[in-house]
Amino acid sequence: MVMKNVVKTACAAVALALCVLALAGCAQPQVASDSPRVADVRLASTSAMTESSQNVEVKLVFDQPVSVAADAADDFEVLLNGSPLDGGAVALDVRGSADGVTFVLHPSSGASTAGGKGTFFALYQSGFSVAAKRADGALPSVTAVSGSCAVLDAPVEGTLPSGLTIEVADVRAGSTDDNLPAQTTFRVTSPALVRAITWFSPDGGATKLLKHNHTFADADAQDCAADLAKVVNEASGFGIVAKASGDVVTLTAVSVADGQTVDPVVVEGVGVEGGAYDASQGTGEGA
């Protein structure tokens, strides 16, 4: 009789445990018609021009207020140039806020912080991807006020910013009547702030050229202007030459075409790609 009671008690405990698990499963946030969805993606690169201060952020902003659990990182897969992050050089922090989730790439504790040889924080060609781990895009750790979980319908992909920015100062269209080639002058308004390739296009994105930023901490706007001019002049096939003076770069078409304009742009952001990266051009310090 005692044995039967023990068995009954054990069976009851197992049944209770199964019920608790079932109820817990039902309590998980579910995808619904009012589930939060990504409305904006914001990218930023910052530093104090030192190794340890490098920071690159990708923020997913949702279309309604959200609550983000501490383990939200488990809902996402973050790739850099198509591969998982190299933990020896690049660390990832995932931070929640009232309007979204921010992914912060920064030097890991094992990354080198001084010049010379070592393992340095580097983003190389800066391609990134943020995707939901679940096939249906559900993000159980990111919930709306209603309790429904957020959805990331498709991976967010693009090119992370190096921090280098430009501002067009003057544009002259080509004129056959005046025998003047197209010409555009721009100023480098910020040097690269992190060790990442800057993808630069002198022709509105048709041609993408890479500028390395191995020694970003020692380069100012004038250095970057000179580098961009050099990159353009060493390339070929698109008919533009460059000249740098201080932090200003002048791009001039090599032939006259009526109405032509020269459109310099730094190719970075969501939904854009850099050019082809040749690892043989790199060094031990990365991009």
Side-chain angles (χ1 to χ4, degrees), residues 4-5 14-15 19 40 43 53 62 70 74 81 87 135 145 147 160 163 176 185 222 236-237 257 263:
K4 286 184 178 180
N5 288 337
V14 171
C19 287
D40 191 18
L43 308 179
S53 65
F62 290 91
D74 296 337
N81 305 314
V145 174
L160 296 169
T176 53
T185 299
Q222 293 190 28
S236 61
D263 304 308

Side-chain angles (χ1 to χ4, degrees), residues 17-34:
L18 290 174
C19 287
V20 170
L21 287 174
L23 289 172
C26 293
Q28 286 292 316
Q30 302 294 311
V31 175
S33 59
D34 66 343

Side-chain angles (χ1 to χ4, degrees), residues 200-203 206-209 231-242 251-255 260 262:
F200 175 75
S201 175
D203 53 9
T207 304
K208 300 180 184 71
L209 308 173
V231 164
V232 172
N233 290 330
E234 288 182 347
S236 61
F238 56 91
I240 297 173
V241 294
L251 302 176
T252 307
V254 297
S255 59
Q260 176 189 7
V262 177

Side-chain angles (χ1 to χ4, degrees), residues 6-260:
V6 171
V7 171
K8 286 182 179 179
T9 302
C11 289
V14 171
L16 179 60
L18 290 174
C19 287
V20 170
L21 287 174
L23 289 172
C26 293
Q28 286 292 316
Q30 302 294 311
V31 175
S33 59
D34 66 343
S35 286
R37 283 175 164 77
V38 175
D40 191 18
V41 182
R42 301 170 186 168
L43 308 179
S45 293
T46 60
S47 81
M49 305 304 280
T50 62
E51 290 291 340
S52 60
S53 65
Q54 297 175 87
N55 243 24
V56 181
E57 297 186 359
V58 178
K59 182 174 183 178
L60 305 185
V61 181
F62 290 91
D63 59 4
Q64 58 183 286
V66 293
S67 177
V68 182
D71 60 351
D74 296 337
D75 287 355
F76 298 91
E77 179 183 51
V78 179
L79 302 179
L80 179 62
N81 305 314
S83 301
L85 302 183
D86 174 7
V90 182
L92 174 67
D93 293 340
V94 180
R95 304 170 183 168
S97 60
D99 63 346
V101 181
T102 301
F103 304 85
V104 184
L105 284 70
H106 61 90
S108 68
S109 59
S112 299
T113 58
K117 296 185 179 297
T119 302
F120 289 84
F121 173 87
L123 302 181
Y124 296 96
Q125 60 265 52
S126 300
F128 78 93
S129 171
V130 177
K133 284 187 178 179
R134 280 181 42 166
D136 62 357
L139 306 171
S141 297
V142 184
T143 55
V145 174
S146 66
S148 61
C149 73
V151 180
L152 184 55
D153 297 307
V156 174
E157 300 175 329
T159 300
L160 296 169
S162 66
L164 188 152
T165 57
I166 66 173
E167 181 179 276
V168 173
D170 184 66
V171 178
R172 182 185 74 196
S175 172
T176 53
D177 289 342
D178 299 323
N179 194 32
L180 290 175
Q183 186 176 87
T184 294
T185 299
F186 68 87
R187 173 171 282 104
V188 175
T189 52
S190 171
L193 301 177
V194 299
R195 183 173 289 102
I197 284 173
T198 297
W199 293 104
F200 175 75
S201 175
D203 53 9
T207 304
K208 300 180 184 71
L209 308 173
L210 68 86
K211 168 183 145 37
H212 288 289
N213 295 298
H214 303 295
T215 56
F216 77 96
D218 299 321
D220 58 16
Q222 293 190 28
D223 296 323
C224 288
D227 286 346
L228 289 174
K230 181 180 179 181
V231 164
V232 172
N233 290 330
E234 288 182 347
S236 61
F238 56 91
I240 297 173
V241 294
K243 181 180 180 180
S245 177
D247 61 1
V248 174
V249 179
T250 300
L251 302 176
T252 307
V254 297
S255 59
V256 178
D258 209 35
Q260 176 189 7

